[in-house]
Amino acid sequence: MQFIDLHTQYKRHEETIDKAVKRVLEDGHYIGGREVGELESTLAAFVGRRHAIACANGTDALKIVLMAKGIGPGDAVFTTPFTFFATAEVVGNLGATPVFVDIDEKTYNIDPAKLDEAIGKVKKAGTLVPRAVIPVDLFGQIAAFEAIVPVAEKHGLWLLEDAAQSFGAQRGGRRSCSFGLASTTSFFPAKPLGCYGDGGMIFTDDDELAVLCRSVAVHGKGRDKYDNVRLGLNSRLDTIQAAILLEKFKIFPAELEARDEAARRYSTWLSGKVTTPFIEPGCCSAWAQYCVRSPRRGEMMAALKTEKIPTAVYYPVPLHKVTAFSYLSPVTLPVSEAVAQDIFALPMHPYLEVSEQKKIADVITSC
């Protein structure tokens, strides 16, 4: 059994994917080919943004936006500690300070009330300048932007939606990557919409920010690549990956539906045995992961392993406790710390067989 079954996906769509790759090879434009522009316009229209800027990966996408906005030493950027390291890593890389805010105990996304408190504390301390908030759409569910936006506006901060796990999700009729001043996503192979290498995308409605992000992504270029007007990165999406993504996007709606059906089966069969994911009213998750909680996590994971069923833990150590951030002032974030102790992920992908899910549920139920 596969935790994420990319092989089955490829075999079912092998012919169209191979043809797309071959077209790029025959065309010979391996960087900046027409497929990159086509992907940008296609995905911008899908999420409802004016601009989409392709880049090399989801981490660079976050960093490019922060660089374009001039984030640096002395700045405070507020985010969740319950996410992948990259979200806060890019803040530290630029010399700014990540300020971790505890999460909602049901959704595992950043808690808007605690965000308000955290910003107030930083303002009162006066040693850092609050600049931005990076809410993360964890496990595929969009963060509570209807509550986060007023908090950010109250304090004069701008929002960067980290939608690396949520592409395709919806909240209140809006799609993932349509919230905040800018949004970013990842096309890492395991993501809901993934390529066969690395890739990322930035989305924004701000014309000036879009120009700046394109510049930062290509060595800070101005009129051309030799007119370097600012310090930037070398962060471009390869044409082959764009071609693959265009083909995979054609099957993406059906895959989202299949993920949702798989999640519903899990939740039905596991209800009362473990804490199943909570999806807020008016929300549709992209189900990047299906994570459950149990104080008997170790026993359950061991039983599943015996049956050759893979599992994973997202995330075993909240970011405020990782070694890389030991230079920050210590904080206690009880919800993040509690969730990290008993959460684990089950296989989730569009090609899960009902029989496979039933076996997983039976093993957990028997523990």
Side-chain angles (χ1 to χ4, degrees), residues 39 43 53-62 64 163-164 184-191 193-203 235-242 245:
L39 181 70
L43 297 192
I53 301 98
C55 59
N57 54 70
T59 304
D60 278 3
L62 291 166
I64 288 165
T184 62
T185 197
S186 168
F187 301 127
F188 183 77
K191 302 300 184 185
L193 179 63
C195 55
Y196 292 155
D198 241 328
M201 191 80 78
I202 300 160
F203 299 91
S235 186
R236 297 170 293 200
L237 180 67
D238 293 340
T239 308
I240 285 177
Q241 300 301 342
L245 286 164

Side-chain angles (χ1 to χ4, degrees), residues 49 78 110-116 119 123 131-137 142-161 171 174 178-183:
R49 287 283 207 180
F78 300 81
I110 196 168
D111 186 320
K114 293 172 184 173
L115 173 63
D116 191 24
I119 298 171
K123 280 187 167 182
R131 290 287 306 279
V133 183
I134 307 179
V136 176
D137 302 338
I142 299 171
F145 279 92
E146 68 280 359
I148 294 170
V149 169
V151 173
E153 291 179 343
K154 170 185 172 181
H155 295 285
L157 278 62
W158 57 274
L159 296 175
L160 171 56
E161 178 193 10
R171 185 180 187 99
R174 292 177 60 179
S178 70
F179 296 87
L181 175 67
S183 309

Side-chain angles (χ1 to χ4, degrees), residues 240-259:
I240 285 177
Q241 300 301 342
I244 291 167
L245 286 164
L246 283 168
E247 291 305 317
K248 291 182 70 173
F249 184 67
K250 295 174 183 177
I251 61 173
F252 188 55
E255 290 195 337
L256 284 175
E257 185 176 340
R259 286 176 179 270

